[in-house]
PDB file of all heavy atoms in Angstrom:
ATOM      1  N   PRO N  26      18.898 -21.943 -60.779  1.00 35.00           N
ATOM      2  CA  PRO N  26      19.864 -22.380 -61.797  1.00 35.00           C
ATOM      3  C   PRO N  26      20.777 -21.255 -62.263  1.00 35.00           C
ATOM      4  O   PRO N  26      21.836 -21.509 -62.838  1.00 35.00           O
ATOM      5  CB  PRO N  26      18.950 -22.860 -62.935  1.00 35.00           C
ATOM      6  CG  PRO N  26      17.637 -23.163 -62.287  1.00 35.00           C
ATOM      7  CD  PRO N  26      17.515 -22.191 -61.165  1.00 35.00           C
ATOM      8  N   SER N  27      20.372 -19.999 -62.033  1.00 34.00           N
ATOM      9  CA  SER N  27      21.174 -18.886 -62.524  1.00 34.00           C
ATOM     10  C   SER N  27      22.310 -18.517 -61.580  1.00 34.00           C
ATOM     11  O   SER N  27      22.869 -17.430 -61.677  1.00 34.00           O
ATOM     12  CB  SER N  27      20.274 -17.669 -62.729  1.00 34.00           C
ATOM     13  OG  SER N  27      19.710 -17.288 -61.489  1.00 34.00           O
ATOM     14  N   LEU N  28      22.666 -19.452 -60.708  1.00 31.00           N
ATOM     15  CA  LEU N  28      23.759 -19.286 -59.762  1.00 31.00           C
ATOM     16  C   LEU N  28      23.486 -18.264 -58.668  1.00 31.00           C
ATOM     17  O   LEU N  28      24.372 -17.995 -57.868  1.00 31.00           O
ATOM     18  CB  LEU N  28      25.066 -18.872 -60.491  1.00 31.00           C
ATOM     19  CG  LEU N  28      25.563 -19.818 -61.575  1.00 31.00           C
ATOM     20  CD1 LEU N  28      26.895 -19.309 -62.117  1.00 31.00           C
ATOM     21  CD2 LEU N  28      25.733 -21.222 -61.038  1.00 31.00           C
ATOM     22  N   SER N  29      22.252 -17.678 -58.608  1.00 35.00           N
ATOM     23  CA  SER N  29      21.946 -16.760 -57.496  1.00 35.00           C
ATOM     24  C   SER N  29      21.393 -17.603 -56.369  1.00 35.00           C
ATOM     25  O   SER N  29      20.442 -18.342 -56.554  1.00 35.00           O
ATOM     26  CB  SER N  29      20.922 -15.716 -57.939  1.00 35.00           C
ATOM     27  OG  SER N  29      19.717 -16.335 -58.283  1.00 35.00           O
ATOM     28  N   VAL N  30      22.003 -17.531 -55.218  1.00 32.00           N
ATOM     29  CA  VAL N  30      21.613 -18.353 -54.074  1.00 32.00           C
ATOM     30  C   VAL N  30      21.070 -17.461 -52.990  1.00 32.00           C
ATOM     31  O   VAL N  30      21.698 -16.462 -52.644  1.00 32.00           O
ATOM     32  CB  VAL N  30      22.825 -19.145 -53.538  1.00 32.00           C
ATOM     33  CG1 VAL N  30      22.420 -19.979 -52.348  1.00 32.00           C
ATOM     34  CG2 VAL N  30      23.393 -20.029 -54.625  1.00 32.00           C
ATOM     35  N   ARG N  31      19.891 -17.821 -52.481  1.00 34.00           N
ATOM     36  CA  ARG N  31      19.322 -17.061 -51.378  1.00 34.00           C
ATOM     37  C   ARG N  31      19.489 -17.858 -50.097  1.00 34.00           C
ATOM     38  O   ARG N  31      19.064 -19.005 -50.025  1.00 34.00           O
ATOM     39  CB  ARG N  31      17.836 -16.795 -51.610  1.00 34.00           C
ATOM     40  CG  ARG N  31      17.581 -15.885 -52.798  1.00 34.00           C
ATOM     41  CD  ARG N  31      16.101 -15.663 -52.962  1.00 34.00           C
ATOM     42  NE  ARG N  31      15.835 -14.823 -54.112  1.00 34.00           N
ATOM     43  CZ  ARG N  31      14.634 -14.424 -54.472  1.00 34.00           C
ATOM     44  NH1 ARG N  31      13.592 -14.779 -53.772  1.00 34.00           N
ATOM     45  NH2 ARG N  31      14.470 -13.665 -55.533  1.00 34.00           N
ATOM     46  N   LEU N  32      20.079 -17.247 -49.142  1.00 35.00           N
ATOM     47  CA  LEU N  32      20.305 -17.906 -47.861  1.00 35.00           C
ATOM     48  C   LEU N  32      19.723 -17.059 -46.765  1.00 35.00           C
ATOM     49  O   LEU N  32      19.993 -15.865 -46.715  1.00 35.00           O
ATOM     50  CB  LEU N  32      21.804 -18.096 -47.621  1.00 35.00           C
ATOM     51  CG  LEU N  32      22.195 -18.854 -46.353  1.00 35.00           C
ATOM     52  CD1 LEU N  32      21.771 -20.302 -46.491  1.00 35.00           C
ATOM     53  CD2 LEU N  32      23.674 -18.752 -46.111  1.00 35.00           C
ATOM     54  N   TRP N  33      18.888 -17.671 -45.930  1.00 40.00           N
ATOM     55  CA  TRP N  33      18.338 -16.938 -44.790  1.00 40.00           C
ATOM     56  C   TRP N  33      18.985 -17.438 -43.522  1.00 40.00           C
ATOM     57  O   TRP N  33      19.028 -18.640 -43.277  1.00 40.00           O
ATOM     58  CB  TRP N  33      16.835 -17.140 -44.696  1.00 40.00           C
ATOM     59  CG  TRP N  33      16.236 -16.326 -43.616  1.00 40.00           C
ATOM     60  CD1 TRP N  33      15.819 -15.047 -43.688  1.00 40.00           C
ATOM     61  CD2 TRP N  33      16.015 -16.721 -42.267  1.00 40.00           C
ATOM     62  NE1 TRP N  33      15.362 -14.601 -42.499  1.00 40.00           N
ATOM     63  CE2 TRP N  33      15.473 -15.621 -41.596  1.00 40.00           C
ATOM     64  CE3 TRP N  33      16.239 -17.884 -41.540  1.00 40.00           C
ATOM     65  CZ2 TRP N  33      15.128 -15.646 -40.259  1.00 40.00           C
ATOM     66  CZ3 TRP N  33      15.903 -17.922 -40.208  1.00 40.00           C
ATOM     67  CH2 TRP N  33      15.352 -16.801 -39.596  1.00 40.00           C
ATOM     68  N   VAL N  34      19.521 -16.554 -42.725  1.00 37.00           N
ATOM     69  CA  VAL N  34      20.211 -16.926 -41.491  1.00 37.00           C
ATOM     70  C   VAL N  34      19.433 -16.392 -40.312  1.00 37.00           C
ATOM     71  O   VAL N  34      19.094 -15.218 -40.265  1.00 37.00           O
ATOM     72  CB  VAL N  34      21.638 -16.357 -41.475  1.00 37.00           C
ATOM     73  CG1 VAL N  34      22.363 -16.786 -40.227  1.00 37.00           C
ATOM     74  CG2 VAL N  34      22.394 -16.825 -42.711  1.00 37.00           C
ATOM     75  N   CYS N  35      19.125 -17.252 -39.362  1.00 43.00           N
ATOM     76  CA  CYS N  35      18.374 -16.848 -38.165  1.00 43.00           C
ATOM     77  C   CYS N  35      19.316 -16.124 -37.219  1.00 43.00           C
ATOM     78  O   CYS N  35      19.833 -16.688 -36.264  1.00 43.00           O
ATOM     79  CB  CYS N  35      17.765 -18.067 -37.493  1.00 43.00           C
ATOM     80  SG  CYS N  35      16.838 -17.690 -36.017  1.00 43.00           S
ATOM     81  N   SER N  36      19.577 -14.895 -37.526  1.00 40.00           N
ATOM     82  CA  SER N  36      20.501 -14.101 -36.741  1.00 40.00           C
ATOM     83  C   SER N  36      20.151 -12.651 -36.884  1.00 40.00           C
ATOM     84  O   SER N  36      19.703 -12.202 -37.927  1.00 40.00           O
ATOM     85  CB  SER N  36      21.935 -14.345 -37.214  1.00 40.00           C
ATOM     86  OG  SER N  36      22.806 -13.412 -36.609  1.00 40.00           O
ATOM     87  N   SER N  37      20.320 -11.866 -35.803  1.00 38.00           N
ATOM     88  CA  SER N  37      20.018 -10.442 -35.869  1.00 38.00           C
ATOM     89  C   SER N  37      21.072  -9.686 -36.647  1.00 38.00           C
ATOM     90  O   SER N  37      20.878  -8.550 -37.037  1.00 38.00           O
ATOM     91  CB  SER N  37      19.926  -9.873 -34.446  1.00 38.00           C
ATOM     92  OG  SER N  37      21.140 -10.089 -33.757  1.00 38.00           O
TER      93      SER N  37
END
Side-chain angles (χ1 to χ4, degrees):
S27 62
L28 302 184
S29 63
V30 179
R31 294 180 182 182
L32 184 68
W33 185 86
V34 182
C35 180
S36 170
S37 58

